[in-house]
Amino acid sequence: MIPTQQELHGLGFRDLAARLEAARVTEPPQTEPADPDAYHYDWHLAIRWFKERFVETCRDLTEAEWSRYAKLADDLLWAAREFSDLNQRQLVFDRFHLSSALLRRVPPRSDIPLLNPAQLLKDYLSEVSISPEEAKEMKSRRHLLNKSEDRELWETRWLMTQIKFVDHLFPESPELDEYRKWKELWPEPPS
C-alpha cells in the first residue's frame, strides 16, 4: 500500500525511494483504505514528490542507482494505474513528463526506458488512438465534435507537450515520420 503523505513528507530522494520500495507498492492493498480521499491524495503526492526529487537528483546517481530508480519509477506509475483512482491519462502524462525532464538533464541511454528517446516516441504513438490524418479531419470540424471526440483530439496535443522538449533526440525512423505529422498538426503547445 502507498505510504501516507506524513510518512513521505520532507524525505530526500533516496530515502523517499527506499520508503516506496519497502512499501511494496506493486502489491495489491490488503485492505480498503480507511479514507479514500486521503488515499487518493497519498498516491498523488507520492508520484509528484518522486518525480520532482528524481529529477533534482538525477545528475548525482550512480550506475546501479539508475537501474534501480528507473525500475521504481515504472513500478510506481504502473501501481498507480492499477491500485489508485488517479486519472489514467494523467499518469501517462506524468510518465512522459518524467522522461522528458530527465532527458533534459542527462544524456539519453538505450538501456533505460525512461532515458530512451526512441522508446518515449513509441510510447507516445501507442497512446494516441487516432491517426494524424483522422486528427486533421477532426480538427477541421472541431466545432461539430461531440465531447468525447473533442477530448480525444485534445489529448493527442496535450500528451505531446512534454515530448516536444526532447524531440530533437528522436532517431530517424518510421515512428519519427509519423510524429512529424503530429507536430505539423500541433505546431504549438495547447493553451
Side-chain angles (χ1 to χ4, degrees), residues 53-63 66 70 98-117 165-166 168-169:
R53 292 182 179 111
F54 195 176
V55 171
E56 290 169 0
T57 310
C58 69
R59 289 187 176 122
D60 302 325
L61 298 178
T62 66
E63 189 65 28
W66 265 111
L98 177 58
S99 190
S100 173
L102 291 170
L103 283 167
R104 285 180 273 160
R105 286 164 180 78
V106 297
R109 293 180 52 171
S110 61
D111 61 322
I112 297 178
L114 276 174
L115 298 179
N116 185 336
F165 291 114
V166 295
H168 62 283
L169 299 172

Side-chain angles (χ1 to χ4, degrees), residues 130-140 153 156 182 185:
I130 55 177
S131 70
E133 294 77 20
E134 290 171 305
K136 186 176 184 177
E137 187 272 326
M138 289 170 76
K139 188 178 174 186
S140 71
L153 182 62
T156 65
W182 281 108
L185 186 63

Side-chain angles (χ1 to χ4, degrees), residues 55-169:
V55 171
E56 290 169 0
T57 310
C58 69
R59 289 187 176 122
D60 302 325
L61 298 178
T62 66
E63 189 65 28
E65 287 176 321
W66 265 111
S67 298
R68 176 182 168 194
Y69 298 139
K71 180 182 181 328
L72 179 57
D74 287 340
D75 288 350
L76 182 63
L77 290 167
W78 175 85
R81 285 181 114 167
E82 291 295 311
F83 307 130
S84 80
D85 64 348
L86 296 177
N87 181 286
Q88 301 295 300
R89 297 308 272 172
Q90 179 64 50
L91 292 168
V92 171
F93 182 85
D94 287 342
R95 164 67 169 75
F96 291 169
H97 176 257
L98 177 58
S99 190
S100 173
L102 291 170
L103 283 167
R104 285 180 273 160
R105 286 164 180 78
V106 297
R109 293 180 52 171
S110 61
D111 61 322
I112 297 178
L114 276 174
L115 298 179
N116 185 336
Q119 185 63 51
L120 178 60
L121 177 57
K122 286 178 184 173
D123 291 347
Y124 169 73
L125 294 174
S126 73
E127 286 295 334
V128 293
S129 58
I130 55 177
S131 70
E133 294 77 20
E134 290 171 305
K136 186 176 184 177
E137 187 272 326
M138 289 170 76
K139 188 178 174 186
S140 71
R141 57 180 185 83
R142 191 161 193 183
H143 64 284
L144 300 174
L145 298 179
N146 65 39
K147 208 175 205 177
S148 172
E149 291 170 323
D150 190 53
R151 176 103 182 145
E152 184 176 36
L153 182 62
W154 179 84
E155 283 182 353
T156 65
R157 186 177 185 193
W158 176 63
L159 290 174
M160 182 185 274
T161 58
Q162 288 303 312
I163 66 172
K164 276 188 173 185
F165 291 114
V166 295
D167 63 8
H168 62 283
L169 299 172

Side-chain angles (χ1 to χ4, degrees), residues 1 24 27-32:
M1 185 171 264
R24 298 185 304 221
E27 295 178 8
Q30 298 300 315
T31 60
E32 289 294 316

